[in-house]
Structure formats: structure tokens, C-alpha cells
């Protein structure tokens, strides 16, 4: 319906304006994009679409949809694509794989979109997924063992070796430890959206929100004239991280660390118009 479309247009116009205002207020000098900055931008040359994927913001389903859109009829239904296949790099092209002139022409002419989520809810979702599920052994080994070694008093031999029982407070200390970012960039699952997608350098046409996922997804598919048979998968997850659940994780984090963590993600709060969560004791 026309009315729905125009009210959605107004919402997205407001999101773009707010983003632009915050960018002009907080970024002094615009730097040039490097190929490395473009690894998260997935390209659909058929529909003229660029999608910056943010882990823990419906990115598996968006990658599935992008595989349907770019697959020349190989895939019909996004949900038929196994989740792990959606994350195989060779199944989708990244903007960083193109030449500089090709990159520039796509940035100029394609519809660019990103999906965002309340930053601390996204963080708790990443923690739950990567540190509390037994099958994520790669994360336990790579990050868990390091977190236990640095941020746990008298860790057991087993914990040092396996890193599979990281507590949320230990994860927070790890994020706030200056050594963490000196050693390597944050993992994409807890990296800030502004560092993954560079919304102050790349002008996104649509900023979708996890909170309005279905409407925003349909809006984008309509904008690019995708086949009406392509539907964004409806969320059926009963395990998803909610605001109430996030609040529980922060009960045992002291106000001092709550404030520091909020400051770490503050730019995402400002850029995407999220208010300070009521459960934080930092006022």
C-alpha cells in the first residue's frame, strides 16, 4: 500500500538525516576507504545492491537472501540454504574484490544498506553464542583461553586449556583491557558497527533495524525490484537475546565497568539513535 510505503520512506529519511548529523558533529576529517574497509560489503550486481553485514543482526538470513538474489535461480528459498553455507566467503562477492574504478562506480550507483541493533543487546547475543554454546570450540580456544588467563584469578588447568566457561564479566574486562585492541582488531562479532561498515564515509540509503527487521527487509526488497517470490525469512528463534535478558547479564557488572562499556559502544548509540538502556546504572 502507498501509505505504508510513504511512512516508511519518512522513517528512513529521518534515520539518514540523524546519521549524517552525528557524523558531521563527531568526525573531524573524512579519511579515504581502503580495500580492507570493504570486506563486509556484499555485492549483488544483478539488482545493484550493496549490503554491509553485521554479525548478530540477522546477517545469516540476509546472506541467504543475497545468495537467492545473486544465484541466477540456483536457490529459490533462503531457508533451504544451510546456515554454515551462507557464511562461506566464496558464495558471495565482497566489494573489496573489485578494482578501484569498479568499487567507486558501485558505491556511487548501487543501493547501499546496513542493519543495526541495540549495541549491548548485540554484545550479549554475541557472548551467548560464542562462549556459552559447547560447539563453538574455535572461539573457546582462540579467545576463551586468553580471557581466562588474563581475567580470572587462579584459573584451573582445564579452564586454561579449554576456555569454554568464560563468564560475562570476564568477557567485559577483556573488551575493556587496553591490550586487547593493541594486539588485534576486535572480532567482527563484537566490533562496533561504525568500525565494520563506516557509515560516516559510505552513505547508506537504508539503515535497517533489528527491532523493525521484517518491515525494513521488505522495504529494501521492494526498492530493488526483487522478485516477489523472494521473502525475507520470518524469525522463529525462541532463543534470541532480548532486552530483559540483556539486563540480567548487567546486574553483576559494576557501574564503573558499565559506563566504560557504554563508552566503548557510544558511537553506535549516537549514530543509530539508541537511548541509554534503563538497566544501566551510569546516570
Amino acid at each position: 500500500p502507498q501509505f505504508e510505503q510513504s511512512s516508511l520512506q519518512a522513517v528512513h529519511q529521518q534515520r539518514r538525516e540523524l546519521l549524517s548529523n552525528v557524523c558531521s558533529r563527531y568526525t573531524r576529517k573524512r579519511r579515504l576507504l581502503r580495500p580492507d574497509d570493504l570486506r563486509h560489503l556484499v555485492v549483488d550486481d544483478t539488482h545493484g545492491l550493496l549490503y554491509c553485514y553485521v554479525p548478530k543482526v540477522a546477517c545469516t538470513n540476509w546472506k541467504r537472501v543475497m545468495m537467492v538474489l545473486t544465484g541466477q535461480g540456483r536457490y529459490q528459498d533462503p531457508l533451504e540454504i544451510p546456515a554454515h553455507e551462507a557464511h562461506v566467503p566464496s558464495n558471495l562477492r565482497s566489494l573489496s574484490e573489485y578494482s578501484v574504478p569498479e568499487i567507486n562506480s558501485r558505491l556511487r550507483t548501487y543501493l547501499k544498506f546496513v542493519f543495526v541493533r541495540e549495541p549491548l543487546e548485540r554484545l550479549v547475543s554475541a557472548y551467548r553464542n560464542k562462549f556459552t554454546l559447547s560447539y563453538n570450540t574455535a572461539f573457546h580456544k582462540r579467545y576463551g583461553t586468553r580471557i581466562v588467563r588474563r581475567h580470572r584469578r587462579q584459573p584451573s588447568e582445564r579452564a586454561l586449556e579449554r576456555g569454554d566457561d568464560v563468564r560475562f564479566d570476564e568477557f567485559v574486562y577483556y573488551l575493556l583491557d587496553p591490550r586487547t585492541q593493541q594486539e588485534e582488531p576486535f572480532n567482527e562479532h563484537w566490533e562496533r558497527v561504525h568500525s565494520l561498515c563506516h557509515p560516516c564515509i559510505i552513505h547508506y540509503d537504508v539503515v535497517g533495524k533489528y527491532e523493525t527487521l521484517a518491515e525494513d527487509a521488505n522495504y529494501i526488497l521492494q526498492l530493488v525490484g526483487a522478485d516477489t517470490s523472494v521473502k525475507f525469512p520470518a524469525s522463529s528463534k525462541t532463543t534470541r537475546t532480548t532486552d530483559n535478558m540483556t539486563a540480567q547479564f548487567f546486574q553483576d557488572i559494576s557501574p564503573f565497568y558499565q559506563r566504560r562499556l557504554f563508552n566503548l559502544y557510544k558511537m553506535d548509540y549516537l549514530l543509530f539513535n539508541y537511548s541509554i538502556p534503563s538497566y544501566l546504572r551510569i546516570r
Side-chain angles (χ1 to χ4, degrees):
Q2 224 45 52
F3 168 70
E4 267 180 47
Q5 198 68 358
S6 63
S7 65
L8 266 173
Q9 280 166 349
V11 165
H12 287 286
Q13 177 69 26
Q14 284 171 334
R15 288 181 192 171
R16 281 196 303 273
E17 284 172 4
L18 179 111
L19 186 58
S20 162
N21 291 339
V22 173
C23 286
S24 59
R25 202 176 331 143
Y26 287 91
T27 50
R28 298 284 168 271
K29 192 161 142 281
R30 275 189 59 177
R31 65 175 183 78
L32 291 174
L33 287 163
R34 299 182 293 267
D36 201 42
D37 296 326
L38 306 172
R39 283 176 314 142
H40 274 248
L41 282 153
V42 174
V43 183
D44 170 6
D45 282 324
T46 314
H47 298 88
L49 200 53
L50 289 177
Y51 160 53
C52 188
Y53 72 89
V54 178
K56 307 313 297 171
V57 193
C59 88
T60 304
N61 277 343
W62 262 118
K63 285 181 175 181
R64 285 168 161 151
V65 169
M66 293 294 279
M67 282 172 71
V68 171
L69 292 175
T70 57
Q72 278 97 40
R74 278 201 307 281
Y75 314 97
Q76 308 299 320
D77 177 2
L79 284 178
E80 284 174 3
I81 302 169
H84 65 87
E85 210 164 296
H87 298 291
V88 174
S90 58
N91 282 336
L92 289 164
R93 283 196 79 181
S94 152
L95 191 58
S96 59
E97 296 168 36
Y98 291 76
S99 70
V100 171
E102 288 172 328
I103 288 170
N104 286 331
S105 89
R106 280 162 181 73
L107 283 172
R108 257 198 324 275
T109 58
Y110 282 15
L111 182 102
K112 301 171 288 295
F113 75 97
V114 59
F115 267 76
V116 300
R117 181 178 187 177
E118 202 288 325
L120 293 183
E121 185 181 294
R122 176 177 165 245
L123 184 70
V124 167
S125 177
Y127 165 77
R128 290 178 66 219
N129 182 267
K130 298 304 169 198
F131 294 106
T132 70
L133 299 177
S134 57
Y135 62 78
N136 271 323
T137 48
F139 270 79
H140 303 158
K141 276 267 187 261
R142 176 156 186 203
Y143 297 101
T145 52
R146 189 183 310 172
I147 292 170
V148 167
R149 190 171 68 248
R150 284 196 177 163
H151 301 289
R152 184 176 301 180
R153 289 204 184 105
Q154 299 172 322
S156 69
E157 283 301 315
R158 182 193 176 285
L160 284 168
E161 189 191 333
R162 297 175 67 156
D164 61 354
D165 64 347
V166 170
R167 299 193 313 269
F168 184 65
D169 61 332
E170 294 169 334
F171 178 54
V172 169
Y173 302 148
Y174 162 77
L175 293 172
L176 296 172
D177 183 340
R179 290 172 293 186
T180 301
Q181 283 195 78
Q182 283 162 10
E183 287 168 355
E184 58 179 352
F186 274 170
N187 178 278
E188 60 178 13
H189 289 82
W190 45 88
E191 180 60 280
R192 284 73 51 107
V193 177
H194 72 89
S195 300
L196 292 175
C197 294
H198 312 286
C200 291
I201 312 175
I202 295 168
H203 295 297
Y204 288 95
D205 302 288
V206 181
V207 175
K209 294 202 164 187
Y210 193 68
E211 296 76 14
T212 50
L213 178 60
E215 303 96 290
D216 293 346
N218 291 335
Y219 178 64
I220 289 162
L221 291 172
Q222 280 175 352
L223 281 180
V224 295
D227 194 299
T228 49
S229 65
V230 182
K231 296 271 185 279
F232 190 84
S235 176
S236 58
K237 273 200 170 170
T238 46
T239 56
R240 67 155 261 192
T241 305
T242 60
D243 189 53
N244 288 347
M245 201 183 284
T246 305
Q248 289 170 358
F249 277 88
F250 279 91
Q251 278 175 347
D252 300 330
I253 306 293
S254 74
F256 173 75
Y257 283 108
Q258 287 186 7
R259 172 164 288 288
R260 288 187 57 205
L261 194 67
F262 173 77
N263 286 337
L264 186 64
Y265 290 91
K266 187 175 178 180
M267 213 40 207
D268 281 356
Y269 275 94
L270 294 169
L271 289 165
F272 307 118
N273 202 19
Y274 286 106
S275 45
I276 300 176
S278 56
Y279 54 77
L280 288 187
R281 304 187 299 283
I282 63 175
R283 282 166 182 69

